[in-house]
Amino acid sequence: MFADLLEATVLNNTRYEKNPDRCLVYHIFDDNRVPLTQEQIAVEWAASGKGEETHALRVRKSPVRICAGGDSWINILIEVSRFLGYNKTFFDILEGYYQTVSTAWPGHTVDRIVEEKPFRIYIDTGRFDYFIFSGGGSEFLGGSALAKLLKEKHALSGQNQPEQLLDLDRLEATMERLKEGYLEIAEYVRSNSPQTQLLVHGYDYPVADAAGPWFGKPFLKRNYDFETDRELIAGVLTYLVDRFYAVLDEVEQQCSNVVVVDIRKMVRGRWTDELHPDLEASKDIAAFYRNVIDGFPTV
């Protein structure tokens, strides 16, 4: 994809650079390299136009009301990011079928969302059937978060299990914080909109790219070789995603209003970059969510 070939892309005098420290996050500057605020970016994408390929599906929308929050798996800023090689998220697809609103923003962490609760504007109305939430990737998948979790490869002679390659104390502390965040969000939804069901997911297994800033750079920094250590790298990423799903399962067990939507092995290599599904994968994930929402079997 175009976004993988260039670390910076310029659109309408606005410069987009991948932030290597925060997975799923871009630095966005004006032509004088002054960072743009979220409000300025919103104006920029409105001026850009969505493009024919991003128009909503021409179907009669279900009366089901859905709000969403979280990170770039909900909102990839499609109005501008399509110029970087991206396309719709699964939630962009769902917008063609249901009555939807969203407060999601790329790079938002669970800590920040819990603190600010931007979703309150919708949840507090008590009008929504579902709240789709995506968050946590910036805390443990990719960028500086992953670099801090990885042990130095040279110090691990003979050790080849994923849990041996990770700082498990740091990982468990991160997972505990994420669990607390999800529990707080679930409790807020239950208290303020009892009929709203919270749908959450834990991403899919990513495929690291040696040239990528979000996975490739952390593994290279810890002296992993993308030829000889490819299975180790895949094993670590699989372990991290599975560990996060285990946390979400615990949240689901404790909260009657939470449903974990397990989308592992749905992307099947169809990535735009290291952790964003391409259009066809997004369609499949959206179809799976539709089965959950409409009450059809998912297995």
Side-chain angles (χ1 to χ4, degrees):
M1 281 297 182
F2 184 53
D4 292 321
L5 299 177
L6 295 178
E7 287 305 306
T9 303
V10 177
L11 169 66
N12 294 342
N13 297 320
T14 304
R15 183 180 180 88
Y16 300 82
E17 296 181 5
K18 290 180 179 178
N19 178 350
D21 293 326
R22 291 270 305 282
C23 193
L24 317 179
V25 180
Y26 276 79
H27 293 302
I28 305 180
F29 306 97
D30 66 15
D31 53 358
N32 294 315
R33 292 194 60 78
V34 176
L36 298 184
T37 65
Q38 182 169 326
E39 291 74 19
Q40 290 171 320
I41 297 168
V43 171
E44 171 72 17
W45 90 39
S48 298
K50 290 189 174 183
E52 184 64 30
E53 70 274 26
T54 65
H55 286 170
L57 300 176
R58 297 181 182 278
V59 297
R60 184 183 299 277
K61 292 190 178 183
S62 163
V64 172
R65 295 187 178 95
I66 303 173
C67 64
D71 57 22
S72 59
W73 268 58
I74 299 291
N75 177 12
I76 194 65
L77 300 180
I78 186 61
E79 294 86 347
V80 291
S81 67
R82 67 189 179 90
F83 293 96
L84 307 176
Y86 292 89
N87 213 300
K88 295 179 179 181
T89 68
F90 77 90
F91 189 73
D92 290 325
I93 304 294
L94 292 178
E95 287 179 333
Y97 294 96
Y98 305 103
Q99 299 177 30
T100 62
V101 292
S102 171
T103 61
W105 194 261
H108 274 186
T109 64
V110 172
D111 284 345
R112 177 175 177 178
I113 294 167
V114 168
E115 179 182 356
E116 299 178 359
K117 293 184 176 60
F119 52 82
R120 288 183 299 183
I121 186 174
Y122 300 123
I123 292 298
D124 288 359
T125 67
R127 297 177 60 246
F128 290 87
D129 302 291
Y130 293 95
F131 176 30
I132 296 178
F133 183 74
S134 172
S138 290
E139 282 92 334
F140 74 98
L141 271 182
S144 60
L146 177 59
K148 291 175 182 177
L149 290 173
L150 284 172
K151 292 181 179 178
E152 182 71 27
K153 175 63 167 56
H154 291 166
L156 299 171
S157 178
Q159 301 184 49
N160 56 12
Q161 298 302 311
E163 58 268 32
Q164 296 173 322
L165 309 176
L166 294 163
D167 183 338
L168 291 183
D169 289 340
R170 184 185 292 271
L171 175 60
E172 291 310 308
T174 299
M175 290 297 161
E176 184 61 28
R177 191 171 72 251
L178 288 173
K179 179 181 176 181
E180 292 173 356
Y182 270 80
L183 287 173
E184 183 169 340
I185 292 171
E187 175 57 24
Y188 186 92
V189 173
R190 187 197 65 78
S191 298
N192 293 276
S193 187
Q195 83 287 354
T196 302
Q197 199 77 18
L198 178 56
L199 305 181
V200 301
H201 72 89
Y203 309 100
D204 199 352
Y205 302 125
V207 178
D209 183 344
W214 293 322
F215 292 104
K217 185 176 179 180
F219 278 106
L220 291 174
K221 182 178 181 179
R222 298 303 184 205
N223 293 300
Y224 286 76
D225 185 286
F226 270 77
E227 293 297 327
T228 61
D229 296 328
R230 183 161 295 279
E231 289 188 10
L232 286 179
I233 292 169
V236 167
L237 296 177
T238 296
Y239 182 88
L240 289 172
V241 171
D242 286 345
R243 182 67 190 90
F244 187 43
Y245 268 100
V247 167
L248 296 181
D249 287 340
E250 293 175 12
V251 173
E252 182 181 48
Q253 291 169 13
Q254 294 182 40
C255 304
S256 60
N257 64 332
V258 173
V259 173
V260 176
V261 182
D262 190 343
I263 58 172
R264 282 174 287 190
K265 297 184 179 181
M266 295 200 68
V267 176
R268 301 192 302 278
R270 297 170 298 172
W271 299 99
T272 294
D273 61 10
E274 296 169 290
L275 195 60
H276 290 98
D278 71 10
L279 179 59
E280 294 307 311
S282 290
K283 288 179 179 178
D284 286 349
I285 295 170
F288 193 76
Y289 264 85
R290 288 188 66 200
N291 284 338
V292 173
I293 292 166
D294 296 339
F296 293 106
T298 56
V299 293

